[in-house]
């Protein structure tokens, strides 16, 4: 299927309530510009992100998934992000083996004070997804 | 691996365990109804133990039955099965004191499908299959043909890391060291990795189109033991119960993620599959990812914590920006 010229990637962002969500908020309140391609889902902790969330998002046709939480050692629940990292790492590696472009699934550590970093992460990811093109992994016609 | 002295010792030990009341159940193998095959034997009757067998076709991972039975259980375990048992103990699904492990050092199981392909004949036409050192000898119409183990054993047996159980109560026979051919066991995965990402995805799409979602892989897997599986959840409904390839693939990916750190590469999922989907090429990759990222191998170390319940301060950092 031809890609329309005005196509824009859609990203689902799972952001932890304590750091990355606040970081995204800061990016907004400090009027940092970043692409509107991301739809944000607030999770209590990055450890809440079940690999099923990621798969379901890809299955529904979202072009990329961002999982973002507190920096290692700074989790509000002390160890949630370390646990998130294990789940995230095996999911990313495994999807790559199956043939999913690793850039479709990205992770980042963004603290509540890093509005700039959040804007940068989303800008970068949107740029990369535009290079890869639309997610047709689960499309039937291919 | 056929060794009648060893089989006799198993029968004697199992009988004694039941008669002395040391166990309530014995789980082992008996001859199957089809040629060469074996089938699980679960019994509380000492008289039944004379049907127990040990040969090169005791494929099933019997640890799958452990959480389902009550009382102390004597179980026949090969290396891979013993790893599954250790893994179940770590997960508190089974208590060590409730299991008597009858360990069988295993030099690899013969893949009947591979043998059939090698000789181009059905298994019913084969007179005998035997094992001698690193050769598999097939007798066909009086004539003997020799094959190397890399041709005739299961892929996961070629990559076996623990032929002799580490954790056992009774050891049947002499311990065996790994003398396998890991490269031969890895061949199918290496072929896939050489393909482009798009071709790989298409490969899995094509394979999973055959899936009928019978869940035989899930039910055969000792590591997959949730009381309520996510596929049966309706709120939220993660995937549809009808066999669309998309849902089939999502089911497989999630199952592999769920058993990460518990999968011991016993190969049961692939053997259970009625439509021959090469599931081991999925599970083994997950096994390798876990070994590579976290230096964790399921069931190898009794003292280790389950994979997803602990972490290291510094690991997998390059995957997250």
């Amino acid at each position: 299927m031809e890609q329309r010229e005005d196509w824009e990637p859609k990203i689902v962002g799972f952001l932890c309530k304590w750091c990355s969500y606040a970081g995204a908020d800061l990016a907004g309140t400090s009027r940092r510009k970043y692409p509107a391609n991301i739809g944000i889902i607030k999770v209590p902790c990055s450890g809440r992100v079940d690999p099923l969330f990621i798969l379901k998002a890809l299955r529904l046709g979202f072009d990329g998934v961002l999982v973002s939480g507190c920096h290692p050692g700074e989790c509000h629940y002390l160890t949630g992000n370390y646990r998130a990292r294990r789940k995230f790492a095996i999911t990313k590696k495994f999807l790559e083996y199956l043939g999913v472009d690793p850039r479709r699934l990205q992770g980042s550590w963004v603290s509540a004070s890093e509005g700039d970093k959040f804007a940068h992460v989303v800008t970068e990811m949107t740029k990369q997804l535009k290079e890869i093109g639309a997610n047709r992994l689960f499309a039937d016609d291919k | 691996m056929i060794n009648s002295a060893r089989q006799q010792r198993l029968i004697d030990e199992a009988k004694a365990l039941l008669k002395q009341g040391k166990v309530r159940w014995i789980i082992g193998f008996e001859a199957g109804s089809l040629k060469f095959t074996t089938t699980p034997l679960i019994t509380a009757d000492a008289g039944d133990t004379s049907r127990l067998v040990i040969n090169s076709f005791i494929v099933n991972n019997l640890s799958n039955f452990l959480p389902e039975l009550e009382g102390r259980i004597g179980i026949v375990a090969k290396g891979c099965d013993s790893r599954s048992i250790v893994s179940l103990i770590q997960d508190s699904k089974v208590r060590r004191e409730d299991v008597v492990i009858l360990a069988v050092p295993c030099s690899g199981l013969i893949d009947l499908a591979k043998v059939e392909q090698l000789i181009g004949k059905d298994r019913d036409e084969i007179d005998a299959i035997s094992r001698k050192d690193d050769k598999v000898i097939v007798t066909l119409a009086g004539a003997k043909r020799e094959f190397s183990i890399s041709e005739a054993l299961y892929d996961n047996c070629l990559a076996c890391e623990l032929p002799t159980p580490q954790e056992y109560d009774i050891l049947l026979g002499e311990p065996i060291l790994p003398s396998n051919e890991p490269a031969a066991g890895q061949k199918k995965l290496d072929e896939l990795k050489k393909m482009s990402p798009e071709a790989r995805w298409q490969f899995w799409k094509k394979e999973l189109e055959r899936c009928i979602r019978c869940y035989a892989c899930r039910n055969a897997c000792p590591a997959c033991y949730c009381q309520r599986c996510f596929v049966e959840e309706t709120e939220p409904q993660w995937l549809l119960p009808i066999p669309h390839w998309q849902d089939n693939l999502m089911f497989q990916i999630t199952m592999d993620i769920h058993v990460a750190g518990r999968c011991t590469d016993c190969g049961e999922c692939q053997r259970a599959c009625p439509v021959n989907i090469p599931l081991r090429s999925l599970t083994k990759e997950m096994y390798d990812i876990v070994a590579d990222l976290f230096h964790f191998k399921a069931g190898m170390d009794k003292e280790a914590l389950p994979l997803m319940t602990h972490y290291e301060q510094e690991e997998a950092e390059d995957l997250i920006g």
Side-chain angles (χ1 to χ4, degrees):
Chain A
M1 205 165 80
E2 277 296 297
Q3 202 154 292
R4 287 166 52 128
E5 237 170 62
D6 59 352
W7 170 79
E8 286 283 336
K10 278 203 202 97
I11 306 171
V12 180
F14 293 103
L15 309 189
C16 116
K17 162 183 176 176
W18 301 98
C19 295
S20 298
Y21 192 88
D25 224 8
L26 182 65
T29 47
S30 46
R31 315 235 162 208
R32 283 289 317 235
K33 253 203 171 117
Y34 64 88
N37 300 54
I38 188 165
I40 292 172
I41 296 175
K42 180 157 80 172
V43 286
C45 173
S46 51
R48 174 69 182 93
V49 181
D50 189 317
L52 259 173
F53 296 179
I54 296 164
L55 286 169
K56 185 81 176 180
L58 292 175
R59 168 82 169 89
L60 290 172
F62 286 94
D63 302 296
V65 180
L66 174 70
V67 179
S68 192
C70 309
H71 284 268
E74 294 173 15
C75 177
H76 182 78
Y77 307 102
L78 306 176
T79 63
N81 52 0
Y82 288 122
R83 290 160 203 278
R85 186 168 62 190
R86 284 214 155 171
K87 285 186 279 188
F88 178 84
I90 59 166
T91 310
K92 187 172 165 97
K93 282 271 182 189
F94 197 59
L95 287 177
E96 191 175 342
Y97 169 72
L98 288 163
V100 178
D101 194 305
R103 289 170 290 182
R104 288 209 189 277
L105 173 54
Q106 299 195 14
S108 67
W109 307 129
V110 172
S111 81
S113 63
E114 292 177 325
D116 280 359
K117 184 176 177 187
F118 181 77
H120 175 76
V121 165
V122 178
T123 314
E124 252 328 281
M125 190 167 173
T126 308
K127 209 170 91 193
Q128 288 176 4
L129 287 174
K130 277 183 179 162
E131 283 165 24
I132 316 168
N135 167 18
R136 317 250 341 126
L137 289 168
F138 287 100
D140 243 325
D141 55 283
K142 211 166 154 188
Chain B
M1 185 169 163
I2 297 164
N3 183 336
S4 58
R6 191 160 64 152
Q7 186 168 308
Q8 193 52 51
R9 179 149 176 243
L10 167 65
I11 293 170
D12 296 342
E13 296 277 7
K15 197 173 277 172
L17 283 172
L18 279 174
K19 277 199 172 148
Q20 292 161 11
K22 283 187 181 160
V23 298
R24 189 160 156 207
W25 301 97
I26 286 286
I27 313 180
F29 298 91
E30 64 176 323
S33 53
L34 296 170
K35 211 166 178 182
F36 302 117
T37 59
T38 61
T39 191
L41 170 71
I42 303 174
T43 183
D45 179 359
D48 287 341
T49 53
S50 58
R51 305 210 310 261
L52 288 167
V53 296
I54 299 177
N55 57 33
S56 294
F57 305 100
I58 49 171
V59 292
N60 301 104
N61 188 339
L62 300 177
S63 61
N64 201 15
F65 297 112
L66 285 179
E68 289 172 27
L69 294 173
E70 283 199 15
R72 205 150 181 256
I73 303 162
I75 182 169
V76 177
K78 310 178 290 289
C80 46
D81 311 345
S82 80
R83 291 178 63 184
S84 295
I85 297 170
V86 168
S87 193
L88 285 168
I89 293 167
Q90 283 170 349
D91 287 353
S92 305
K93 293 300 285 182
V94 174
R95 292 195 310 171
R96 179 67 185 90
E97 55 270 31
D98 286 346
V99 198
V100 177
I101 303 174
L102 297 148
V104 180
C106 167
S107 54
L109 303 167
I110 296 172
D111 186 343
L112 281 169
K114 277 190 183 176
V115 172
E116 281 180 338
Q117 225 171 21
L118 282 169
I119 58 166
K121 291 248 165 48
D122 194 76
R123 65 188 69 172
D124 289 336
E125 296 174 60
I126 303 171
D127 300 323
I129 304 175
S130 61
R131 185 68 196 279
K132 200 174 171 224
D133 302 324
D134 57 349
K135 291 271 179 271
V136 173
I137 301 151
V138 181
T139 316
L140 189 74
K144 281 188 179 173
R145 287 182 66 184
E146 277 192 3
F147 298 101
S148 73
I149 51 167
S150 63
E151 287 175 299
L153 295 193
Y154 281 105
D155 283 353
N156 63 304
C157 293
L158 295 170
C160 179
E161 291 173 51
L162 191 74
T164 310
Q166 262 173 3
E167 185 68 21
Y168 59 81
D169 298 285
I170 298 164
L171 184 64
L172 303 158
E174 292 299 310
I176 303 173
L177 291 170
S179 63
N180 41 48
E181 302 179 30
Q186 207 69 10
K187 217 175 97 194
K188 282 202 180 111
L189 280 88
D190 289 341
E191 278 168 16
L192 272 170
K193 282 179 192 168
K194 276 191 210 124
M195 290 155 63
S196 72
E198 290 77 22
R200 276 205 302 269
W201 187 262
Q202 287 306 309
F203 172 84
W204 286 114
K205 174 186 170 180
K206 216 168 142 269
E207 292 292 335
L208 269 302
E209 268 172 356
R210 287 205 306 280
C211 174
I212 54 171
R213 287 276 279 288
C214 62
Y215 302 127
C217 47
R218 179 188 74 179
N219 297 350
C221 179
C224 207
Y225 51 61
C226 287
Q227 295 278 323
R228 189 172 169 80
C229 179
F230 76 98
V231 295
E232 275 126 24
E233 269 178 25
T234 50
E235 195 60 48
Q237 187 164 41
W238 295 106
L239 36 82
L240 295 172
I242 40 175
H244 283 155
W245 72 267
Q246 291 97 332
D247 294 312
N248 302 344
L249 187 52
M250 245 182 88
F251 163 61
Q252 275 306 328
I253 298 172
T254 311
M255 180 173 154
D256 291 328
I257 291 171
H258 282 184
V259 300
R262 277 192 284 265
C263 172
T264 59
D265 193 25
C266 70
E268 272 293 82
C269 45
Q270 180 159 330
R271 277 192 289 269
C273 184
V275 290
N276 298 322
I277 297 168
L279 295 174
R280 193 211 165 227
S281 299
L282 290 172
T283 53
K284 182 60 171 39
E285 178 61 18
M286 186 53 96
Y287 179 92
D288 289 344
I289 288 172
V290 169
D292 179 44
L293 287 177
F294 310 122
H295 314 290
F296 187 92
K297 286 184 174 171
M300 288 299 241
D301 177 6
K302 196 171 62 159
E303 308 301 323
L305 289 164
L307 177 76
M308 288 299 167
T309 64
H310 71 289
Y311 58 89
E312 298 289 331
Q313 300 258 327
E314 277 167 39
E315 60 185 8
E317 260 305 323
D318 54 326
L319 296 175
I320 301 174

